[in-house]
């Protein structure tokens, strides 16, 4: 409203100036004066019209783009180990519905391939009468099914009743410090082995003097060897080292039984 009144007042003044110029100016001076008056009037009107226009809103600053989430490759350590342990726990839980003391082992050399791509494979089952294996089916939607299988041999194993060959004792090396062996080599290897066996229902294992590992249920799983395992003469001190890390150790028939 204020701008409209100002334009009306300015128009009256502008008309008066035009009339005055037309009345008093003559000759060549008339046209320049009229042009100057019209220019001033035009600038005056534009000034007030510009002030009456609504303000243009400022553009909002763009929000910073979020960093794209990248799914880690399951080939990387230790994610692949954690994923395999998770599947182990699911298989153990499925088998425990048939018996509380069941243990098992993979019958394939690359179980991680089954976990990643899906498929079916056999596992060896121990501790359940009448069944020696089971079929595990895992699809790409992470559905898991277990089916117990009873395998009947076509002929007896000729080596089943063969007497066990006597173990030839090795030369006794200088007694090392078991604590040094455990801190430098044994701790990491044992932690990985115990995690794997626990996920498959085991609670103990037997370590021979040469570092080879056996399971109570007769499983043939390929387990890492404990390189540089201390000899029998160091086992009393080694038991104390194991006890300090939550592992119970007991010597039986020249072997060390570890339980957790």
């Amino acid at each position: 409203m204020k701008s409209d009144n100002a334009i009306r007042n300015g128009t009256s003044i502008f008309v008066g100036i035009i009339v005055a110029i037309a009345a008093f100016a003559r000759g060549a001076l008339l046209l320049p004066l009229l042009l100057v008056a019209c220019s001033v009037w035009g600038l005056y009107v534009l000034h007030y019209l510009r002030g009456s226009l609504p303000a243009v809103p400022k553009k909002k600053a763009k929000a910073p783009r979020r960093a794209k989430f990248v799914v880690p490759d399951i080939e990387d350590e230790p994610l692949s180990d954690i994923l395999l342990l998770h599947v182990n726990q699911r298989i153990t839980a499925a088998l425990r519905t048939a018996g509380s003391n069941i243990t098992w082992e993979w019958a394939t050399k690359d179980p991680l391939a089954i976990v990643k791509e899906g498929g079916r494979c056999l596992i060896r089952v121990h501790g359940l009468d009448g069944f020696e294996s089971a079929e595990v089916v895992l699809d790409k939607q992470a559905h898991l099914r277990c089916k117990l299988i009873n395998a009947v041999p076509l002929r007896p194993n000729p080596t089943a009743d063969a007497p066990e060959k006597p173990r030839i004792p090795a030369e006794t090396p200088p007694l090392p410090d078991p604590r040094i062996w455990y801190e430098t080599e044994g701790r990491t290897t044992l932690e990985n082995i115990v995690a794997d066996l626990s996920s498959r229902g085991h609670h103990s294992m037997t370590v021979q003097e040469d570092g080879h590992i056996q399971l109570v249920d007769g499983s043939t799983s390929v387990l890492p060897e404990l390189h540089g395992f201390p000899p029998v003469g160091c086992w009393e001190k080694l038991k104390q080292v194991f006890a300090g890390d939550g592992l119970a150790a007991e010597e039986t028939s020249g072997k060390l039984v570890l339980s957790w």
Side-chain angles (χ1 to χ4, degrees), residues 35-129:
L35 292 175
V36 170
C38 291
S39 299
V40 172
W41 164 245
L43 293 174
Y44 178 80
V45 172
L46 288 176
H47 171 73
Y48 279 97
L49 289 177
R50 183 179 179 182
S52 64
L53 294 176
V56 179
K58 296 182 179 180
K59 292 183 178 180
K60 294 182 179 181
K62 293 183 178 179
R65 293 183 178 181
R66 295 182 179 180
K68 185 177 179 182
F69 176 74
V70 179
V71 179
D73 187 357
I74 65 173
E75 294 289 351
D76 297 338
E77 299 289 350
L79 184 58
S80 60
D81 292 338
I82 296 174
L83 181 60
L84 184 59
L85 291 176
H86 174 71
V87 174
N88 287 351
Q89 294 283 7
R90 292 182 61 191
I91 295 174
T92 301
L95 293 175
R96 287 290 169 86
T97 60
S100 60
N101 295 322
I102 293 179
T103 59
W104 63 276
E105 58 182 314
W106 290 100
T108 178
K109 294 182 179 179
D110 188 12
L112 189 60
I114 302 295
V115 174
K116 290 191 304 179
E117 302 172 6
R120 61 181 64 214
C121 69
L122 292 178
I123 61 174
R124 300 184 185 93
V125 178
H126 308 281
L128 184 63
D129 294 337

Side-chain angles (χ1 to χ4, degrees), residues 52-215:
S52 64
L53 294 176
V56 179
K58 296 182 179 180
K59 292 183 178 180
K60 294 182 179 181
K62 293 183 178 179
R65 293 183 178 181
R66 295 182 179 180
K68 185 177 179 182
F69 176 74
V70 179
V71 179
D73 187 357
I74 65 173
E75 294 289 351
D76 297 338
E77 299 289 350
L79 184 58
S80 60
D81 292 338
I82 296 174
L83 181 60
L84 184 59
L85 291 176
H86 174 71
V87 174
N88 287 351
Q89 294 283 7
R90 292 182 61 191
I91 295 174
T92 301
L95 293 175
R96 287 290 169 86
T97 60
S100 60
N101 295 322
I102 293 179
T103 59
W104 63 276
E105 58 182 314
W106 290 100
T108 178
K109 294 182 179 179
D110 188 12
L112 189 60
I114 302 295
V115 174
K116 290 191 304 179
E117 302 172 6
R120 61 181 64 214
C121 69
L122 292 178
I123 61 174
R124 300 184 185 93
V125 178
H126 308 281
L128 184 63
D129 294 337
F131 296 96
E132 299 178 356
S133 59
E135 182 185 51
V136 175
V137 180
L138 184 68
D139 59 25
K140 293 187 178 181
Q141 286 74 38
H143 298 141
L144 186 144
R145 301 194 308 273
C146 289
K147 181 179 179 182
L148 291 170
I149 298 175
N150 184 13
V152 179
L154 296 178
R155 58 181 181 179
N157 187 355
T159 61
D161 299 330
E164 183 181 357
K165 295 182 180 180
R167 182 174 58 87
I168 302 175
E171 295 182 2
T172 304
L175 296 179
D177 187 347
R179 187 175 299 278
I180 295 176
W181 169 84
Y182 184 70
E183 295 295 337
T184 58
E185 296 185 54
R187 183 192 297 274
T188 302
T189 304
L190 280 173
E191 286 178 351
N192 295 333
I193 293 173
V194 169
D196 176 52
L197 294 180
S198 296
S199 71
R200 294 191 281 118
H202 293 276
H203 300 285
S204 65
M205 65 180 180
T206 301
V207 185
Q208 299 179 358
E209 187 177 357
D210 57 3
H212 287 87
I213 297 174
Q214 292 180 339
L215 300 179

